[in-house]
Amino acid sequence: AEYMGKSTLCTVAYYSTTPPPFLLSQNQIMSIFFQQRQSRPQSVWYASSNINDGEGNVDDFTSSNEEGRPLPSADDMQREADADLDRYLSTDALDDLGNQSLRVLTPVSSSTEDKFEDFARYGVVEVSGSDIYSRLVICIYAVKLPQKVDHARLLRFFKYTLDRYVETDYTLVYFHHGLTKENRPSFQWLKQAYREIDRKYKKNIKAFYIVHPSGFVRMFSMFFKPFVSGKFFRKLTQINYLEELRGRLYLDTLYIPESVRAHDERVSLRANRVAGVPLTKPNLSTNSVILAGNVTPTQQFGVYLDHLWLYGGGEVLPRVVTCCCEFILAEGLTVEGIFRHSATVKAMKEVRLAFNMGLAVNFYDFDKITHSAAILAAATLKSFLRELTEPILTFSLYDTIISLDTVDKLEYRDLVITLINQQLPVRNREILSYICKMFWRLTTYSSSNKMNSNNLAIVIGPNLIWPQFGTITLASIVPINCFTQCLIQNYDVIFT
């Protein structure tokens, strides 16, 4: 329902002799609640300010009748509301409320749904691969914002984007350079936005980096601290120079606008001048996490597949791949969200070091709990795939895979089969086949692990393919996920 132009909605179930279920704003609830309490003291009310918090919990205020009739459960009320909704919306049931300003709205069709094409065209929010702990990286670029911004729509667009990825752990990077007085949001709006961001958006964010914070942002963040949870605030890190992102993200695959790079160069040179350091231009073209030092024969992470085959004793399958997949098949098939969650930073560093030193790896040596050890194996596999110098599906197939998004569904699988068997190098195909077989086995336990082919594709796709230059964009995520899902669902047909 709509009242006085209010669009904030919540769920209400009204228990009386004529219980009409409907949608109301919170102001309406309070107004009608007290109005009906005066006229119908025998009524029992249940109201919730949240439609769903993602975990089946609701916050409510209630009023019981004089007879002390117990309040029904939220599930019972939802079932009754679903059953009666059509009947009551087709009648004049809302008149029972004595408020003629309420009117029933027809559902918005998918054709009129806001697709946020303007924000998508600007590139304000982009997905930029994974960080060194295999967590998805989502970037926000202030420099991409238009001068006049509808901040309410911007928040909805941000939530619309996050909805695709909140089921997995992710890292958020905000590039502050480029924000102006014209498009800067107010403190009041930011406080309200934080409250509107549901817990489901906050719980899986593992790190939040603010790059190039201004003096205003530093002061603002301290002033904002009392209004946010301590747990969320501890995830926030202010990054003064792009160089500080090394060790956290892969700068060579992270999309950074040229104006941001130029600003970073000016800031870095100014800081060096003040400190008396020789003026040198920052090198952001390579990733020191991957390329630091000489590559040893036993190194597994951050190298070409040719290196692994050369020093792998003739084995086609890299040692990290076999070790991780075997452990997952033995111990992790029923672990819920096994590929959605990230392992601890300490365990990941120790496992990577052990593999790079050529040591035998048992994931139980790093985590005694089966659930956590299986997640560590999954995170290690994602990290290995993402750190390959060239993706397992190769740079040359990137454009072809993206273009398959326009292919008819009936032809899609046949084209994928042709692509994998005729254009992918044989050794790459063997590794991909081994990995996809493990993913296919995981989907047979999806009722327990909650990892069906679609969920796995969302998490794994960006680790199998990315462009040689630039980074994965939001527009390319869908075709990559569709391609990955096809590989998993049709494993037995594609790789036989």
Side-chain angles (χ1 to χ4, degrees):
E2 184 181 76
Y3 179 59
M4 295 176 63
K6 302 287 186 181
S7 60
T8 303
L9 301 179
C10 62
T11 305
V12 176
Y14 174 75
Y15 281 76
S16 70
T17 55
T18 56
F22 45 83
L23 294 175
L24 294 175
S25 71
Q26 194 164 12
N27 289 338
Q28 288 173 258
I29 293 174
M30 298 303 297
S31 174
I32 301 173
F33 174 77
F34 289 112
Q35 181 185 52
Q36 296 298 318
R37 281 287 292 158
Q38 293 175 358
S39 61
R40 296 183 182 182
Q42 77 282 3
S43 302
V44 176
W45 282 79
Y46 171 91
S48 169
S49 60
N50 293 314
I51 293 177
N52 192 339
D53 71 349
E55 299 180 356
N57 303 316
V58 290
D59 300 322
D60 64 294
F61 64 87
T62 59
S63 169
S64 61
N65 58 16
E66 277 110 6
E67 298 178 359
R69 185 170 61 144
L71 287 170
S73 68
D75 290 338
D76 290 339
M77 287 189 290
Q78 185 62 55
R79 280 192 290 270
E80 181 169 340
D82 291 340
D84 293 343
L85 183 58
D86 292 336
R87 177 164 59 87
Y88 280 103
L89 289 182
S90 63
T91 66
D92 204 20
L94 291 177
D95 287 345
D96 290 339
L97 295 174
N99 191 333
Q100 298 300 322
S101 61
L102 290 171
R103 60 187 176 88
V104 179
L105 298 179
T106 57
V108 178
S109 66
S110 58
S111 61
T112 59
E113 182 182 352
D114 192 348
K115 299 297 185 181
F116 306 102
E117 293 180 355
D118 49 347
F119 286 121
R121 184 172 63 253
Y122 295 140
V124 177
V125 181
E126 294 286 357
V127 176
S128 295
S130 306
D131 63 11
I132 65 171
Y133 306 113
S134 299
R135 300 183 297 230
L136 197 69
V137 175
I138 299 177
C139 296
I140 305 174
Y141 305 97
V143 73
K144 295 291 190 75
L145 284 171
Q147 287 304 302
K148 293 184 178 180
V149 181
D150 182 345
H151 289 99
R153 282 192 69 240
L154 177 61
L155 177 60
R156 292 198 299 273
F157 170 65
F158 183 59
K159 292 164 68 175
Y160 170 80
T161 303
L162 287 184
D163 276 335
R164 311 183 198 181
Y165 310 108
V166 292
E167 295 301 323
T168 183
D169 295 343
Y170 67 97
T171 293
L172 191 63
V173 184
Y174 167 61
F175 292 89
H176 178 68
H177 172 70
L179 195 69
T180 65
K181 293 181 179 179
E182 287 73 20
N183 56 25
R184 184 173 62 195
S186 66
F187 171 77
Q188 196 64 30
W189 180 87
L190 287 173
K191 188 169 68 171
Q192 182 64 30
Y194 176 79
R195 291 173 178 171
E196 284 190 27
I197 296 293
D198 295 337
R199 180 175 178 269
K200 69 175 183 177
Y201 299 110
K202 299 173 186 174
K203 67 179 181 179
N204 283 341
I205 181 172
K206 299 304 177 183
F208 181 13
Y209 301 119
I210 300 179
V211 182
H212 299 140
S214 63
F216 174 80
V217 169
R218 297 178 192 278
M219 178 186 68
F220 184 85
S221 62
M222 296 308 298
F223 186 70
F224 198 68
K225 186 175 181 180
F227 300 98
V228 302
S229 68
K231 185 176 181 180
F232 181 83
F233 197 82
R234 286 192 293 272
K235 299 176 182 179
L236 191 151
T237 303
Q238 296 186 18
I239 303 294
N240 297 313
Y241 317 107
L242 292 175
E243 193 69 24
E244 294 179 16
L245 286 175
R246 294 193 188 280
R248 297 181 173 97
L249 307 173
Y250 300 118
L251 288 181
D252 56 338
T253 60
L254 189 68
Y255 170 66
I256 303 174
E258 287 303 319
S259 59
V260 175
R261 289 179 181 269
H263 172 75
D264 182 78
E265 182 179 344
R266 290 193 299 270
V267 172
S268 299
L269 294 178
R270 189 184 309 129
N272 289 342
R273 187 181 298 112
V274 172
V277 177
L279 302 182
T280 57
K281 184 176 181 178
N283 180 12
L284 304 177
S285 61
T286 58
N287 195 315
S288 60
V289 175
I290 297 177
L291 302 178
N294 296 322
V295 176
T296 63
T298 58
Q299 186 160 336
Q300 299 286 300
F301 288 83
V303 295
Y304 285 97
L305 285 177
D306 288 338
H307 172 86
L308 300 175
W309 293 324
L310 178 63
Y311 296 102
E315 294 292 333
V316 174
L317 298 176
R319 193 161 58 90
V320 176
V321 171
T322 55
C323 186
C324 292
C325 290
E326 287 175 0
F327 190 87
I328 292 170
L329 291 172
E331 305 291 347
L333 289 176
T334 59
V335 174
E336 183 173 341
I338 179 171
F339 274 93
R340 286 204 307 264
H341 301 296
S342 57
T344 64
V345 174
K346 180 176 182 294
M348 282 291 293
K349 288 182 178 179
E350 292 175 347
V351 167
R352 289 161 57 91
L353 180 61
F355 272 121
N356 283 337
M357 293 178 64
L359 303 177
V361 173
N362 183 345
F363 291 99
Y364 279 128
D365 293 338
F366 304 93
D367 200 315
K368 303 299 183 183
I369 303 174
T370 300
H371 175 273
S372 302
I375 290 176
L376 176 60
T380 302
L381 179 61
K382 288 191 296 181
S383 182
F384 169 80
L385 293 172
R386 190 65 186 87
E387 291 185 28
L388 287 172
T389 307
E390 183 175 12
I392 199 72
L393 285 169
T394 72
F395 291 131
S396 62
L397 294 185
Y398 179 80
D399 290 337
T400 304
I401 291 174
I402 298 303
S403 67
L404 289 179
D405 189 44
T406 60
V407 173
D408 184 79
K409 292 182 179 180
L410 298 177
E411 303 176 7
Y412 191 89
R413 190 183 71 171
D414 293 338
L415 290 175
V416 172
I417 294 174
T418 301
L419 193 67
I420 294 299
N421 289 286
Q422 296 185 11
Q423 298 189 41
L424 191 66
V426 174
R427 289 184 291 189
N428 293 56
R429 183 184 180 279
E430 291 298 318
I431 297 173
L432 185 64
S433 173
Y434 187 81
I435 294 172
C436 287
K437 183 178 181 179
M438 182 269 295
F439 291 146
W440 178 81
R441 285 288 307 278
L442 275 174
T443 63
T444 63
Y445 291 82
S446 61
S447 59
S448 299
N449 59 40
K450 312 301 181 186
M451 298 301 299
N452 57 31
S453 60
N454 179 63
N455 293 337
L456 280 170
I458 292 173
V459 177
I460 296 299
N463 298 302
L464 298 179
I465 184 72
W466 59 87
Q468 184 172 8
F469 305 104
T471 184
I472 294 176
T473 64
L474 284 175
S476 62
I477 283 290
V478 172
I480 289 175
N481 291 348
C482 289
F483 186 86
T484 306
Q485 185 175 5
C486 183
L487 293 178
I488 298 172
Q489 288 180 332
N490 301 282
Y491 159 78
D492 55 339
V493 177
I494 295 174
F495 296 101
T496 55

